[in-house]
PDB file of all heavy atoms in Angstrom:
ATOM      1  N   PHE D 186       0.230   0.289  12.564  1.00 98.00           N
ATOM      2  CA  PHE D 186      -0.753  -0.728  12.903  1.00 98.00           C
ATOM      3  C   PHE D 186      -2.148  -0.283  12.443  1.00 98.00           C
ATOM      4  O   PHE D 186      -2.361   0.820  11.990  1.00 98.00           O
ATOM      5  CB  PHE D 186      -0.814  -0.967  14.424  1.00 98.00           C
ATOM      6  CG  PHE D 186       0.510  -1.090  15.116  1.00 98.00           C
ATOM      7  CD1 PHE D 186       0.777  -0.353  16.276  1.00 98.00           C
ATOM      8  CD2 PHE D 186       1.487  -1.943  14.647  1.00 98.00           C
ATOM      9  CE1 PHE D 186       1.982  -0.480  16.946  1.00 98.00           C
ATOM     10  CE2 PHE D 186       2.696  -2.082  15.309  1.00 98.00           C
ATOM     11  CZ  PHE D 186       2.959  -1.338  16.462  1.00 98.00           C
ATOM     12  N   TRP D 187      -3.143  -1.173  12.621  1.00 98.00           N
ATOM     13  CA  TRP D 187      -4.584  -0.871  12.580  1.00 98.00           C
ATOM     14  C   TRP D 187      -4.991  -0.117  11.307  1.00 98.00           C
ATOM     15  O   TRP D 187      -5.458   1.011  11.336  1.00 98.00           O
ATOM     16  CB  TRP D 187      -4.993  -0.100  13.842  1.00 98.00           C
ATOM     17  CG  TRP D 187      -4.552  -0.797  15.085  1.00 98.00           C
ATOM     18  CD1 TRP D 187      -4.834  -2.082  15.466  1.00 98.00           C
ATOM     19  CD2 TRP D 187      -3.691  -0.263  16.101  1.00 98.00           C
ATOM     20  NE1 TRP D 187      -4.196  -2.369  16.651  1.00 98.00           N
ATOM     21  CE2 TRP D 187      -3.485  -1.282  17.078  1.00 98.00           C
ATOM     22  CE3 TRP D 187      -3.072   0.973  16.287  1.00 98.00           C
ATOM     23  CZ2 TRP D 187      -2.702  -1.084  18.196  1.00 98.00           C
ATOM     24  CZ3 TRP D 187      -2.292   1.157  17.405  1.00 98.00           C
ATOM     25  CH2 TRP D 187      -2.109   0.135  18.356  1.00 98.00           C
ATOM     26  N   ARG D 188      -4.842  -0.812  10.181  1.00 98.00           N
ATOM     27  CA  ARG D 188      -5.260  -0.302   8.868  1.00 98.00           C
ATOM     28  C   ARG D 188      -5.400  -1.510   7.944  1.00 98.00           C
ATOM     29  O   ARG D 188      -4.857  -2.585   8.210  1.00 98.00           O
ATOM     30  CB  ARG D 188      -4.240   0.696   8.313  1.00 98.00           C
ATOM     31  CG  ARG D 188      -2.874   0.068   8.036  1.00 98.00           C
ATOM     32  CD  ARG D 188      -1.787   1.105   7.949  1.00 98.00           C
ATOM     33  NE  ARG D 188      -1.515   1.670   9.261  1.00 98.00           N
ATOM     34  CZ  ARG D 188      -0.851   2.818   9.463  1.00 98.00           C
ATOM     35  NH1 ARG D 188      -0.412   3.514   8.443  1.00 98.00           N
ATOM     36  NH2 ARG D 188      -0.641   3.261  10.685  1.00 98.00           N
ATOM     37  N   SER D 189      -6.130  -1.372   6.842  1.00 98.00           N
ATOM     38  CA  SER D 189      -6.343  -2.525   5.979  1.00 98.00           C
ATOM     39  C   SER D 189      -6.762  -2.088   4.587  1.00 98.00           C
ATOM     40  O   SER D 189      -7.274  -0.985   4.377  1.00 98.00           O
ATOM     41  CB  SER D 189      -7.405  -3.453   6.569  1.00 98.00           C
ATOM     42  OG  SER D 189      -8.668  -2.814   6.603  1.00 98.00           O
ATOM     43  N   VAL D 190      -6.533  -3.003   3.624  1.00 98.00           N
ATOM     44  CA  VAL D 190      -7.031  -2.853   2.262  1.00 98.00           C
ATOM     45  C   VAL D 190      -7.607  -4.202   1.851  1.00 98.00           C
ATOM     46  O   VAL D 190      -6.992  -5.249   2.089  1.00 98.00           O
ATOM     47  CB  VAL D 190      -5.919  -2.438   1.282  1.00 98.00           C
ATOM     48  CG1 VAL D 190      -6.475  -2.308  -0.130  1.00 98.00           C
ATOM     49  CG2 VAL D 190      -5.264  -1.128   1.711  1.00 98.00           C
ATOM     50  N   SER D 191      -8.795  -4.193   1.212  1.00 98.00           N
ATOM     51  CA  SER D 191      -9.422  -5.458   0.854  1.00 98.00           C
ATOM     52  C   SER D 191     -10.358  -5.303  -0.339  1.00 98.00           C
ATOM     53  O   SER D 191     -10.892  -4.226  -0.605  1.00 98.00           O
ATOM     54  CB  SER D 191     -10.203  -6.035   2.046  1.00 98.00           C
ATOM     55  OG  SER D 191     -11.257  -5.175   2.423  1.00 98.00           O
ATOM     56  N   ASN D 192     -10.514  -6.413  -1.078  1.00 98.00           N
ATOM     57  CA  ASN D 192     -11.562  -6.598  -2.071  1.00 98.00           C
ATOM     58  C   ASN D 192     -11.518  -5.581  -3.205  1.00 98.00           C
ATOM     59  O   ASN D 192     -12.551  -5.036  -3.605  1.00 98.00           O
ATOM     60  CB  ASN D 192     -12.943  -6.589  -1.401  1.00 98.00           C
ATOM     61  CG  ASN D 192     -13.996  -7.229  -2.283  1.00 98.00           C
ATOM     62  OD1 ASN D 192     -13.722  -8.184  -2.988  1.00 98.00           O
ATOM     63  ND2 ASN D 192     -15.211  -6.685  -2.251  1.00 98.00           N
ATOM     64  N   LEU D 193     -10.346  -5.355  -3.761  1.00 98.00           N
ATOM     65  CA  LEU D 193     -10.232  -4.479  -4.913  1.00 98.00           C
ATOM     66  C   LEU D 193      -8.971  -4.817  -5.703  1.00 98.00           C
ATOM     67  O   LEU D 193      -8.121  -5.594  -5.260  1.00 98.00           O
ATOM     68  CB  LEU D 193     -10.249  -3.004  -4.489  1.00 98.00           C
ATOM     69  CG  LEU D 193      -9.334  -2.528  -3.355  1.00 98.00           C
ATOM     70  CD1 LEU D 193      -7.881  -2.415  -3.777  1.00 98.00           C
ATOM     71  CD2 LEU D 193      -9.812  -1.189  -2.806  1.00 98.00           C
ATOM     72  N   THR D 194      -8.881  -4.240  -6.889  1.00 98.00           N
ATOM     73  CA  THR D 194      -7.715  -4.383  -7.761  1.00 98.00           C
ATOM     74  C   THR D 194      -6.986  -3.058  -7.848  1.00 98.00           C
ATOM     75  O   THR D 194      -7.611  -1.999  -7.981  1.00 98.00           O
ATOM     76  CB  THR D 194      -8.153  -4.829  -9.167  1.00 98.00           C
ATOM     77  OG1 THR D 194      -8.675  -6.158  -9.092  1.00 98.00           O
ATOM     78  CG2 THR D 194      -6.987  -4.810 -10.138  1.00 98.00           C
ATOM     79  N   VAL D 195      -5.660  -3.118  -7.765  1.00 98.00           N
ATOM     80  CA  VAL D 195      -4.826  -1.936  -7.960  1.00 98.00           C
ATOM     81  C   VAL D 195      -3.908  -2.189  -9.159  1.00 98.00           C
ATOM     82  O   VAL D 195      -3.088  -3.117  -9.135  1.00 98.00           O
ATOM     83  CB  VAL D 195      -3.979  -1.620  -6.712  1.00 98.00           C
ATOM     84  CG1 VAL D 195      -3.080  -0.407  -6.975  1.00 98.00           C
ATOM     85  CG2 VAL D 195      -4.863  -1.363  -5.497  1.00 98.00           C
ATOM     86  N   ASN D 196      -4.088  -1.401 -10.206  1.00 98.00           N
ATOM     87  CA  ASN D 196      -3.114  -1.360 -11.291  1.00 98.00           C
ATOM     88  C   ASN D 196      -2.127  -0.254 -10.946  1.00 98.00           C
ATOM     89  O   ASN D 196      -2.467   0.936 -11.014  1.00 98.00           O
ATOM     90  CB  ASN D 196      -3.802  -1.070 -12.629  1.00 98.00           C
ATOM     91  CG  ASN D 196      -4.688  -2.212 -13.080  1.00 98.00           C
ATOM     92  OD1 ASN D 196      -4.363  -3.379 -12.903  1.00 98.00           O
ATOM     93  ND2 ASN D 196      -5.834  -1.878 -13.672  1.00 98.00           N
ATOM     94  N   VAL D 197      -0.941  -0.671 -10.524  1.00 98.00           N
ATOM     95  CA  VAL D 197      -0.017   0.273  -9.895  1.00 98.00           C
ATOM     96  C   VAL D 197       0.455   1.312 -10.907  1.00 98.00           C
ATOM     97  O   VAL D 197       0.950   0.978 -11.989  1.00 98.00           O
ATOM     98  CB  VAL D 197       1.179  -0.473  -9.291  1.00 98.00           C
ATOM     99  CG1 VAL D 197       2.122   0.515  -8.616  1.00 98.00           C
ATOM    100  CG2 VAL D 197       0.690  -1.511  -8.271  1.00 98.00           C
ATOM    101  N   ALA D 198       0.307   2.577 -10.541  1.00 97.00           N
ATOM    102  CA  ALA D 198       0.722   3.694 -11.388  1.00 97.00           C
ATOM    103  C   ALA D 198       0.914   4.910 -10.495  1.00 97.00           C
ATOM    104  O   ALA D 198       0.439   4.956  -9.359  1.00 97.00           O
ATOM    105  CB  ALA D 198      -0.319   3.982 -12.467  1.00 97.00           C
ATOM    106  N   GLY D 199       1.620   5.900 -11.022  1.00 96.00           N
ATOM    107  CA  GLY D 199       1.773   7.162 -10.300  1.00 96.00           C
ATOM    108  C   GLY D 199       3.023   7.213  -9.463  1.00 96.00           C
ATOM    109  O   GLY D 199       3.856   6.314  -9.469  1.00 96.00           O
ATOM    110  N   GLY D 200       3.133   8.283  -8.687  1.00 93.00           N
ATOM    111  CA  GLY D 200       4.330   8.523  -7.912  1.00 93.00           C
ATOM    112  C   GLY D 200       5.439   9.082  -8.785  1.00 93.00           C
ATOM    113  O   GLY D 200       5.302   9.226  -9.999  1.00 93.00           O
ATOM    114  N   SER D 201       6.561   9.398  -8.149  1.00 92.00           N
ATOM    115  CA  SER D 201       7.689   9.950  -8.889  1.00 92.00           C
ATOM    116  C   SER D 201       8.981   9.576  -8.191  1.00 92.00           C
ATOM    117  O   SER D 201       8.991   9.210  -7.007  1.00 92.00           O
ATOM    118  CB  SER D 201       7.574  11.479  -8.995  1.00 92.00           C
ATOM    119  OG  SER D 201       7.589  12.065  -7.701  1.00 92.00           O
ATOM    120  N   GLY D 202      10.056   9.649  -8.924  1.00 94.00           N
ATOM    121  CA  GLY D 202      11.358   9.347  -8.342  1.00 94.00           C
ATOM    122  C   GLY D 202      11.413   7.939  -7.794  1.00 94.00           C
ATOM    123  O   GLY D 202      10.963   6.980  -8.422  1.00 94.00           O
ATOM    124  N   CYS D 203      11.915   7.811  -6.592  1.00 95.00           N
ATOM    125  CA  CYS D 203      12.086   6.506  -5.956  1.00 95.00           C
ATOM    126  C   CYS D 203      10.768   5.768  -5.788  1.00 95.00           C
ATOM    127  O   CYS D 203      10.712   4.535  -5.863  1.00 95.00           O
ATOM    128  CB  CYS D 203      12.754   6.705  -4.597  1.00 95.00           C
ATOM    129  SG  CYS D 203      13.002   5.200  -3.636  1.00 95.00           S
ATOM    130  N   SER D 204       9.695   6.495  -5.567  1.00 94.00           N
ATOM    131  CA  SER D 204       8.413   5.861  -5.288  1.00 94.00           C
ATOM    132  C   SER D 204       7.543   5.670  -6.521  1.00 94.00           C
ATOM    133  O   SER D 204       6.384   5.269  -6.398  1.00 94.00           O
ATOM    134  CB  SER D 204       7.643   6.674  -4.246  1.00 94.00           C
ATOM    135  OG  SER D 204       7.379   7.976  -4.735  1.00 94.00           O
ATOM    136  N   ALA D 205       8.080   5.900  -7.706  1.00 95.00           N
ATOM    137  CA  ALA D 205       7.276   5.815  -8.915  1.00 95.00           C
ATOM    138  C   ALA D 205       6.835   4.380  -9.183  1.00 95.00           C
ATOM    139  O   ALA D 205       7.592   3.424  -9.004  1.00 95.00           O
ATOM    140  CB  ALA D 205       8.067   6.347 -10.109  1.00 95.00           C
ATOM    141  N   ASP D 206       5.599   4.241  -9.586  1.00 96.00           N
ATOM    142  CA  ASP D 206       5.048   2.972 -10.065  1.00 96.00           C
ATOM    143  C   ASP D 206       5.261   1.820  -9.084  1.00 96.00           C
ATOM    144  O   ASP D 206       5.567   0.693  -9.479  1.00 96.00           O
ATOM    145  CB  ASP D 206       5.652   2.611 -11.435  1.00 96.00           C
ATOM    146  CG  ASP D 206       5.307   3.642 -12.503  1.00 96.00           C
ATOM    147  OD1 ASP D 206       4.166   4.168 -12.473  1.00 96.00           O
ATOM    148  OD2 ASP D 206       6.163   3.949 -13.346  1.00 96.00           O
ATOM    149  N   THR D 207       5.085   2.107  -7.812  1.00 97.00           N
ATOM    150  CA  THR D 207       5.229   1.071  -6.775  1.00 97.00           C
ATOM    151  C   THR D 207       4.153   1.253  -5.725  1.00 97.00           C
ATOM    152  O   THR D 207       3.894   2.368  -5.259  1.00 97.00           O
ATOM    153  CB  THR D 207       6.616   1.137  -6.105  1.00 97.00           C
ATOM    154  OG1 THR D 207       7.630   0.976  -7.098  1.00 97.00           O
ATOM    155  CG2 THR D 207       6.771   0.040  -5.058  1.00 97.00           C
ATOM    156  N   GLU D 208       3.516   0.145  -5.380  1.00 97.00           N
ATOM    157  CA  GLU D 208       2.583   0.111  -4.261  1.00 97.00           C
ATOM    158  C   GLU D 208       3.386  -0.172  -3.003  1.00 97.00           C
ATOM    159  O   GLU D 208       4.050  -1.216  -2.882  1.00 97.00           O
ATOM    160  CB  GLU D 208       1.555  -0.997  -4.476  1.00 97.00           C
ATOM    161  CG  GLU D 208       0.705  -1.320  -3.272  1.00 97.00           C
ATOM    162  CD  GLU D 208      -0.586  -0.521  -3.221  1.00 97.00           C
ATOM    163  OE1 GLU D 208      -0.843   0.264  -4.153  1.00 97.00           O
ATOM    164  OE2 GLU D 208      -1.333  -0.700  -2.255  1.00 97.00           O
ATOM    165  N   PHE D 209       3.376   0.753  -2.039  1.00 98.00           N
ATOM    166  CA  PHE D 209       4.093   0.582  -0.778  1.00 98.00           C
ATOM    167  C   PHE D 209       3.097   0.225   0.327  1.00 98.00           C
ATOM    168  O   PHE D 209       2.155   0.967   0.574  1.00 98.00           O
ATOM    169  CB  PHE D 209       4.845   1.857  -0.393  1.00 98.00           C
ATOM    170  CG  PHE D 209       6.076   2.116  -1.220  1.00 98.00           C
ATOM    171  CD1 PHE D 209       6.021   2.909  -2.362  1.00 98.00           C
ATOM    172  CD2 PHE D 209       7.296   1.557  -0.860  1.00 98.00           C
ATOM    173  CE1 PHE D 209       7.149   3.145  -3.118  1.00 98.00           C
ATOM    174  CE2 PHE D 209       8.429   1.788  -1.613  1.00 98.00           C
ATOM    175  CZ  PHE D 209       8.364   2.584  -2.757  1.00 98.00           C
ATOM    176  N   TRP D 210       3.335  -0.909   0.971  1.00 98.00           N
ATOM    177  CA  TRP D 210       2.533  -1.270   2.140  1.00 98.00           C
ATOM    178  C   TRP D 210       3.511  -1.574   3.281  1.00 98.00           C
ATOM    179  O   TRP D 210       3.733  -2.708   3.663  1.00 98.00           O
ATOM    180  CB  TRP D 210       1.615  -2.445   1.840  1.00 98.00           C
ATOM    181  CG  TRP D 210       0.577  -2.661   2.894  1.00 98.00           C
ATOM    182  CD1 TRP D 210       0.496  -3.669   3.802  1.00 98.00           C
ATOM    183  CD2 TRP D 210      -0.533  -1.789   3.191  1.00 98.00           C
ATOM    184  NE1 TRP D 210      -0.589  -3.500   4.639  1.00 98.00           N
ATOM    185  CE2 TRP D 210      -1.241  -2.352   4.280  1.00 98.00           C
ATOM    186  CE3 TRP D 210      -0.992  -0.588   2.629  1.00 98.00           C
ATOM    187  CZ2 TRP D 210      -2.390  -1.749   4.806  1.00 98.00           C
ATOM    188  CZ3 TRP D 210      -2.122   0.002   3.172  1.00 98.00           C
ATOM    189  CH2 TRP D 210      -2.809  -0.577   4.243  1.00 98.00           C
ATOM    190  N   ALA D 211       4.118  -0.488   3.786  1.00 97.00           N
ATOM    191  CA  ALA D 211       5.131  -0.584   4.838  1.00 97.00           C
ATOM    192  C   ALA D 211       4.424  -0.499   6.182  1.00 97.00           C
ATOM    193  O   ALA D 211       4.158   0.589   6.695  1.00 97.00           O
ATOM    194  CB  ALA D 211       6.161   0.536   4.699  1.00 97.00           C
ATOM    195  N   SER D 212       4.103  -1.653   6.736  1.00 97.00           N
ATOM    196  CA  SER D 212       3.305  -1.685   7.959  1.00 97.00           C
ATOM    197  C   SER D 212       3.770  -2.851   8.815  1.00 97.00           C
ATOM    198  O   SER D 212       4.636  -3.638   8.427  1.00 97.00           O
ATOM    199  CB  SER D 212       1.814  -1.818   7.626  1.00 97.00           C
ATOM    200  OG  SER D 212       1.560  -3.053   6.985  1.00 97.00           O
ATOM    201  N   SER D 213       3.144  -2.978   9.963  1.00 97.00           N
ATOM    202  CA  SER D 213       3.505  -4.038  10.900  1.00 97.00           C
ATOM    203  C   SER D 213       2.254  -4.829  11.262  1.00 97.00           C
ATOM    204  O   SER D 213       1.436  -5.120  10.389  1.00 97.00           O
ATOM    205  CB  SER D 213       4.226  -3.443  12.108  1.00 97.00           C
ATOM    206  OG  SER D 213       5.508  -2.943  11.702  1.00 97.00           O
ATOM    207  N   GLN D 214       2.056  -5.161  12.537  1.00 98.00           N
ATOM    208  CA  GLN D 214       0.906  -5.989  12.900  1.00 98.00           C
ATOM    209  C   GLN D 214      -0.413  -5.255  12.649  1.00 98.00           C
ATOM    210  O   GLN D 214      -0.452  -4.037  12.533  1.00 98.00           O
ATOM    211  CB  GLN D 214       1.000  -6.400  14.375  1.00 98.00           C
ATOM    212  CG  GLN D 214       2.141  -7.335  14.704  1.00 98.00           C
ATOM    213  CD  GLN D 214       3.430  -6.620  15.000  1.00 98.00           C
ATOM    214  OE1 GLN D 214       3.562  -5.402  14.824  1.00 98.00           O
ATOM    215  NE2 GLN D 214       4.425  -7.372  15.474  1.00 98.00           N
TER     216      GLN D 214
END
């Protein structure tokens, strides 16, 4: 909970293996 991202651009890059080149926003309320 209680986190945010706003007002920007993400060109997804980086990470490795399963998490490579993916933006993860695994959150709830």
Side-chain angles (χ1 to χ4, degrees):
F186 315 131
W187 308 304
R188 64 199 71 197
S189 65
V190 179
S191 63
N192 199 36
L193 49 75
T194 293
V195 178
N196 292 322
V197 181
S201 61
C203 178
S204 61
D206 298 323
T207 302
E208 168 91 2
F209 286 93
W210 192 251
S212 64
S213 292
Q214 293 86 352

